[in-house]
Amino acid sequence: MTADPTGTGRNVTRAAAGLFLAALLARLAVLLPLHTHPLFGLPIVDAASYVDQARALAAGAPVTEALFWQPIFYPLWLSLVFRAFGPSLLAARILQALPGATACVLVYLFARRAGGRRAAIAAGLILAFYGPVIALETDLLSEGWAVFWAAFLLWGFTRAPSDPRPLSMALLGAGGGLAILTRPTFLPFVAGAALWLILTVARRNGGKAGMDKACTLALGLLLILLPAAAFCRQHTGRFTILPSSSGLNLYLGNNPRWVETVSIRPGVEWMELIREPQREGRANIWDQSDYFRGKVRKYARTGAFASGLLRKTARLFCSREIPRNHDLYSLREAAPVLKPLLWKAGGFGFPFGLLLPLALLGLATRGRQLVPAWLFLLLYPPAVIAVFVSDRYRAPAIPALAVAAAFGLAWLWDQRGHRRRLGGAIAALAAAAILISLPRAYPEERLSFGAERNWAAGQRLAEEGRPAEAESRLRRATELDPGMVDAWNSLGVLLERQGRRAEAIDAYRRALALDPGNAGLRFNLEAARLPASGSSAPAAGPSP
């Protein structure tokens, strides 16, 4: 693969700078209204966990096992931000927009090196204004970095066969290691792309050249992964780069009730699930992870396992954004810039409903020039499907799809004088868009994310000592979803701590009526009924 000979270095620099600026402005236009919004500006669920861990580390707190519950790159990076700029969430979010904008430049450079000047600009613009990715990047989650690493690796592996510098190979390997520490699902692609690179170089320049590439690439990779595994062993006792939640996450998408378990929300059901191995005597975090892996191995021996994989594959290709912690479509009202960039109509979801058909066309017509993209799309998605699918975990595939879609658009433009061929291609694109937009609602799409976000925000506000705002959010959650046990319980806890016992008892009664068998709720209710002199502090009960 060679760079487009028709361009100049100055033109490339100008185009890259323009794409970076456009992408950065798009992200800031979404970020700033969301950050100042009273509901969306608060970190919740995974974002809240990352923020709390990072702030503690930045303040000098000792490392605990909680750091290793999720992949360690993002909380460690966030702790460096807080150490440098203080506990400002705005500074962290603005800095997070930088790798997002840089990813658009890397996608542009990848596509240009693959031989398409117009396609390169189109690929950069697609990623720069791709609504779901922008929405994810504005939250304090690792997805923005995962998209960046995907773009970096695609660009790096494209130029690697013709790059003779050992340092470049070591940096590429280090990037692969950091990608794996951000999302372990990168591991198959990093391994597969490394093998392709070695074979390509060996075929062109001989076996020794291939081995030299392999050694420097492996050196960069191991310089990242080995210290990370040693760091994990130092604090948890196990030498691994996987998070301690890996067994549980694998189980969520691979069990006889996986359609229900992937929809479990923070609260009663979630706590019951994660405490299951503890009830079996598994106290160590890795024993608990192994417990869930053991259940997955048993399930994998049944016929339902293969059926589940096929159903999860269908989810991966769904044109709509399947939610995980929150519904991306709900952000459109708070950040109006997202409205044309992220929407759905019936079963059709924009932009993925157009992106995927165009990407398939680009791969079919220009696939030989897009080998790293092919490898990514063949090796990364199965790692996601093996666990479970959501908008967050599909996001790293967007850079590869953006490049392929740009080449698909370029091919359509080249066929404008061939009406029959162009008409057939457009009909095929429409058929593909319809196929991935069947009007079937997944369980996650039926959840009340508005109520859940208000509940989570109420929990966060209560922790920050803002009871009036917390009460407002918790009551709003009960209005949006009167059947939300956790919202009623959290409201009861908040009211009881303020001495408003009668109101707290009413909230506990409502929660217990919804879940009569919950011991934590019953304890809270009985404790609230005790005389004031002998009352016990309310337990959070089912809340995480």
Side-chain angles (χ1 to χ4, degrees):
M1 298 180 186
T2 58
D4 184 350
T6 63
T8 65
R10 181 176 298 177
N11 289 338
V12 171
T13 301
R14 287 176 178 173
L19 284 170
F20 180 87
L21 183 60
L24 184 61
L25 291 176
R27 281 147 181 77
L28 293 177
V30 173
L31 185 159
L32 294 176
L34 286 179
H35 177 78
T36 56
H37 193 280
L39 183 58
F40 296 106
L42 290 167
I44 63 170
V45 197
D46 286 349
S49 175
Y50 284 135
V51 167
D52 291 342
Q53 290 174 25
R55 282 177 170 171
L57 290 173
V63 174
T64 67
E65 289 182 342
L67 176 65
F68 302 92
W69 171 253
Q70 293 170 307
I72 65 171
F73 171 82
Y74 188 72
L76 291 178
W77 175 82
L78 200 57
S79 71
L80 294 177
V81 174
F82 289 149
R83 188 180 293 271
F85 297 94
S88 169
L89 298 183
L90 180 58
R93 287 178 167 131
I94 290 175
L95 286 175
Q96 193 159 284
L98 298 179
T102 304
C104 302
V105 175
L106 293 172
V107 159
Y108 161 75
L109 295 174
F110 167 36
R112 189 176 181 94
R113 194 170 188 91
R117 183 175 60 85
R118 289 196 305 267
I121 294 174
L125 289 173
I126 289 171
L127 187 57
F129 295 101
Y130 196 83
V133 167
I134 296 174
L136 288 168
E137 288 175 350
T138 58
D139 205 349
L140 294 169
L141 298 169
S142 62
E143 273 57 49
W145 274 103
V147 170
F148 169 81
W149 293 126
F152 173 81
L153 293 173
L154 288 169
W155 168 71
F157 277 109
T158 300
R159 66 195 294 271
S162 58
D163 190 340
R165 296 170 295 179
L167 181 59
S168 296
M169 290 304 97
L171 290 175
L172 180 58
L178 292 171
I180 292 167
L181 295 182
T182 304
R183 280 263 169 249
T185 43
F186 276 102
L187 183 56
F189 169 70
V190 172
L195 179 60
W196 165 80
L197 172 61
I198 294 164
L199 294 176
T200 300
V201 173
R203 186 175 64 252
R204 292 180 184 178
N205 305 315
K208 184 180 182 304
M211 288 305 300
D212 288 342
K213 292 277 188 184
C215 290
T216 51
L217 192 68
L219 177 63
L221 185 69
L222 294 177
L223 283 175
I224 297 296
L225 296 184
L226 288 180
F231 181 60
C232 182
R233 182 175 182 178
Q234 177 186 355
H235 294 284
T236 71
R238 180 169 293 192
F239 187 83
T240 182
I241 58 171
L242 296 177
S244 61
S245 64
S246 55
L248 173 60
N249 284 330
L250 191 64
Y251 173 77
L252 288 176
N254 297 280
N255 68 82
R257 296 174 51 248
W258 71 268
V259 174
E260 299 171 33
T261 55
V262 296
S263 304
I264 290 179
R265 315 313 304 155
V268 178
E269 290 183 275
W270 179 254
M271 295 305 294
E272 286 297 308
L273 179 61
I274 65 175
R275 288 170 180 165
E276 185 177 316
Q278 298 175 21
R279 292 192 293 269
E280 298 293 326
R282 307 289 186 97
N284 181 274
I285 59 170
W286 298 111
D287 290 340
Q288 293 168 16
S289 190
D290 292 340
Y291 168 84
F292 286 113
R293 284 196 188 89
K295 298 190 74 170
V296 171
R297 283 194 292 270
K298 291 181 181 178
Y299 174 69
R301 292 194 286 267
T302 68
F305 175 70
S307 172
L309 292 178
L310 290 175
R311 293 173 69 184
K312 286 189 287 183
T313 301
R315 288 173 174 238
L316 182 76
F317 293 110
C318 175
S319 70
R320 301 181 305 281
E321 302 299 320
I322 299 177
R324 178 58 184 155
N325 291 137
H326 51 71
D327 183 2
L328 295 183
Y329 298 107
S330 67
L331 305 179
R332 299 169 71 249
E333 293 301 320
V337 173
L338 279 176
K339 288 186 177 181
L341 306 179
L342 169 64
W343 50 270
K344 59 181 176 179
F348 178 79
F350 178 88
F352 195 80
L354 290 182
L355 180 75
L356 183 60
L358 286 170
L360 294 175
L361 177 63
L363 292 171
T365 56
R366 302 290 291 273
R368 294 186 63 181
Q369 297 167 271
L370 301 173
V371 173
W374 264 113
L375 289 171
F376 195 96
L377 296 173
L378 288 173
L379 297 174
Y380 179 83
V384 175
I385 293 167
V387 186
F388 61 90
V389 177
S390 75
D391 49 17
R392 287 175 58 184
Y393 308 137
R394 184 171 71 179
I398 301 305
L401 290 171
V403 173
F407 277 95
L409 284 171
W411 185 88
L412 287 175
W413 177 259
D414 291 339
Q415 306 308 310
R416 61 190 183 281
H418 305 277
R419 292 187 178 181
R420 182 174 297 181
R421 189 183 301 174
L422 182 61
I426 292 174
L429 292 173
I434 292 171
L435 184 63
I436 63 175
S437 303
L438 296 177
R440 175 186 177 185
Y442 295 107
E444 298 94 316
E445 296 180 288
R446 293 192 288 263
L447 295 172
S448 179
F449 281 95
E452 185 175 308
R453 181 172 278 278
N454 274 276
W455 167 70
Q459 293 274 84
R460 188 75 182 178
L461 290 165
E463 293 170 2
E464 294 178 357
R466 299 155 67 181
E469 296 171 82
E471 181 180 348
S472 174
R473 290 301 166 194
L474 293 174
R475 290 196 182 279
R476 179 57 179 160
T478 62
E479 293 170 3
L480 292 172
D481 184 4
M484 190 175 185
V485 174
D486 298 289
W488 287 113
N489 178 67
S490 297
L491 180 60
V493 171
L494 179 70
L495 294 170
E496 188 175 357
R497 287 174 178 168
Q498 296 180 67
R500 298 158 63 181
R501 296 164 60 80
E503 294 175 84
I505 288 172
D506 179 65
Y508 289 143
R509 281 175 174 166
R510 290 173 181 266
L512 196 59
L514 294 167
D515 187 8
N518 189 284
L521 293 174
R522 190 167 298 280
F523 172 83
N524 282 355
L525 177 60
E526 295 303 323
R529 286 171 170 168
L530 292 174
S533 59
S535 63
S536 301
S543 302

